[in-house]
Amino acid sequence: MNDAWSADSDRAAALDVADPLAPFRADFAIPTSRAVSGDPSADAGPCVYLTGNSLGLMPLATTAAVARELEDWAALGVEGHTRGRDPWVSSAERVREGLASLVGATPAEVSAMNTLTVNIHLLMVSFYRPTRERFTIIIEDGAFPSDAYAVASQARWHGFDPARAVVRVGPREGESQVRTEDVISAIERERPALVMLGGVNYRTGQWFDMGAITRAGRDAGAVVGWDLAHAAGNVPLRLHEWGVDFAAWCSYKYLNAGPGAVAGLYVHERHARDRTLPRFEGWWGHDAASRFRMPDEFRPEPDAAAWALSNPPILSLAPLKVSLGLFARAGMDRLRDKSLRLTAFMESMLRRVPGVRVLTPADPDARGCQLSIEVAGASRETQRSLLSRGVVCDYREPGILRAAPVPLYNSFRDAWRFARALDDVVRGGGCGDGSGDGGGA
């Protein structure tokens, strides 16, 4: 190990000792290098897990939380709805305050239900109301495919050609990020029916100026919604203050609720209380006070819960409750402070690796914890070479590695180990051709 890497190893160790959030790492199950590499001779110690932007690690208390629901089911059967230790009939209500604090909303403006793209479609039923004169939808070029599919299919459903109805705003020639002024110019030019971007772009890690874009969209008479899959639990959000019309997010990335976990949605109170708003309706969105009288006519809940269709998935809510408890203890302000320092430290390490270019904005206010890096000659073989060294990150074509040092459980030592392993792979020629798939959004 050269002197520079050795000195930085010492610096990482000192930063970890001084980190007030370091104890939270012990609340998570961290896979071993041996397990993730599949090599029985590999180190049995914890791996460097940098894919919380794809699937968050499991809080250790999750096992007991899920077991508790199973025990109540076994002991009480249907009576668990009202007599369980965490009665199922109101289980979703008990995550609203925690979700609201993470996205900057009131509890009445948020709800846990369904999955991300289902919620996007349900929200677009209410908020994409195109006319012949005004029907375009603005998204970012490079949006996650599910968002692109959703808006195209909604435009088609309303009788519009997606090639004309969906307007993509991309980076300028030679740039990797979308400029805020270009998004605002597109809004002013198009006068769209809907603006719907990803709060943090999944591929580049760019955090859009959500406040400025929301203001511009609403000033132009458009509805503004956000996909927060890579933003919720990653960056500080103020949806209510910004005047965002609607938003949706998943809970299996930064919110650590497990694979396929229940998702969330937000509807600003000015809409949530509007009973004339069109929506798809289901029993669980009916006013709770009269829901079990089984009335013939739908009467919506007077808040975001009106968009619910079915009763909540109890086993999926249990891990989310555990994770939200950890966020409440840590505090989003403290997590953001560590994220800024941890991500900057990892970036400084990566700039030493030859052939590496960071695509994520250098401005801390324009990114969360994810760094997307372009590595000369990189392929899926690069990802596998890192995996064999106990480093878990993901790969996106062409030649992009994504690594997210999550402040709840990643350490400065993790950031150092990743950069050091990547340097070893690059200098050792481990960036050859490869094939295969893996990883979520």
Side-chain angles (χ1 to χ4, degrees), residues 355-369:
V356 165
R357 182 170 76 99
V358 178
L359 301 177
T360 306
D363 179 2
D365 291 332
R367 70 185 186 193
C369 69

Side-chain angles (χ1 to χ4, degrees), residues 41-62:
S41 66
D43 181 13
C47 73
V48 176
Y49 191 86
L50 298 172
T51 50
N53 58 331
S54 188
L55 179 66
L57 288 180
M58 188 188 84
L60 290 170
T62 296

Side-chain angles (χ1 to χ4, degrees), residues 12-71:
L15 289 168
D16 283 330
V17 168
D19 175 19
L21 297 183
F24 282 91
R25 181 177 172 89
D27 289 308
F28 289 86
I30 302 176
T32 66
S33 295
R34 181 176 299 170
V36 298
S37 69
D39 180 358
S41 66
D43 181 13
C47 73
V48 176
Y49 191 86
L50 298 172
T51 50
N53 58 331
S54 188
L55 179 66
L57 288 180
M58 188 188 84
L60 290 170
T62 296
T63 301
V66 175
R68 174 175 158 141
E69 302 296 358
L70 293 173
E71 290 163 2

Side-chain angles (χ1 to χ4, degrees), residues 136-199:
T136 55
I137 306 169
I138 288 180
I139 66 173
E140 80 266 31
D141 199 22
F144 187 67
S146 195
D147 287 3
Y149 303 156
V151 297
S153 65
Q154 287 275 345
R156 195 179 299 113
W157 176 259
H158 285 281
F160 296 98
D161 179 3
R164 173 66 186 93
V166 179
V167 177
R168 294 172 175 262
V169 182
R172 297 184 186 183
E173 185 71 28
E175 298 181 353
S176 58
Q177 294 106 39
V178 181
R179 296 192 186 189
T180 299
E181 59 264 35
D182 291 348
V183 177
I184 292 174
S185 293
I187 291 170
E188 293 171 346
R189 180 180 66 252
E190 288 289 334
R191 308 290 293 179
L194 174 66
V195 178
M196 200 188 85
L197 308 179

Side-chain angles (χ1 to χ4, degrees), residues 161-356:
D161 179 3
R164 173 66 186 93
V166 179
V167 177
R168 294 172 175 262
V169 182
R172 297 184 186 183
E173 185 71 28
E175 298 181 353
S176 58
Q177 294 106 39
V178 181
R179 296 192 186 189
T180 299
E181 59 264 35
D182 291 348
V183 177
I184 292 174
S185 293
I187 291 170
E188 293 171 346
R189 180 180 66 252
E190 288 289 334
R191 308 290 293 179
L194 174 66
V195 178
M196 200 188 85
L197 308 179
V200 173
N201 181 266
Y202 87 101
R203 190 169 180 272
T204 66
Q206 178 183 1
W207 179 20
F208 285 96
D209 188 338
M210 296 174 63
I213 291 171
T214 299
R215 284 194 301 274
R218 299 197 65 238
D219 287 348
V223 175
V224 181
W226 294 91
D227 176 347
L228 304 178
H230 288 266
N234 178 18
V235 293
L237 300 168
R238 300 194 299 277
L239 300 186
H240 180 89
E241 178 185 328
W242 292 331
V244 171
D245 291 296
F246 72 88
W249 58 90
C250 58
S251 299
Y252 54 80
K253 302 182 192 303
Y254 296 103
L255 299 189
N256 313 304
V262 63
L265 61 74
Y266 155 91
V267 178
H268 195 282
E269 63 182 7
R270 65 177 172 270
H271 302 303
R273 295 174 178 172
D274 182 1
R275 293 188 173 183
T276 67
L277 201 65
R279 63 170 66 83
F280 284 165
E281 298 168 353
W283 183 49
W284 213 257
H286 189 281
D287 177 44
S290 60
R291 181 183 299 147
F292 285 90
R293 297 177 198 152
M294 311 298 185
D296 291 334
E297 184 178 347
F298 181 80
R299 182 180 179 84
E301 283 267 65
D303 55 28
W307 276 262
L309 300 179
S310 306
N311 54 322
I314 300 304
L315 300 182
S316 182
L317 278 169
L320 178 59
K321 291 173 186 175
V322 171
S323 183
L324 289 176
L326 294 173
F327 273 97
R329 282 171 45 208
M332 198 61 205
D333 288 343
R334 289 203 302 164
L335 287 168
R336 176 60 175 170
D337 178 68
K338 177 179 175 179
S339 180
L340 291 170
R341 292 181 290 109
L342 181 58
T343 305
F345 177 77
M346 190 168 82
E347 183 182 25
S348 71
M349 299 293 97
L350 290 171
R351 294 196 182 281
R352 182 178 302 153
V353 181
V356 165

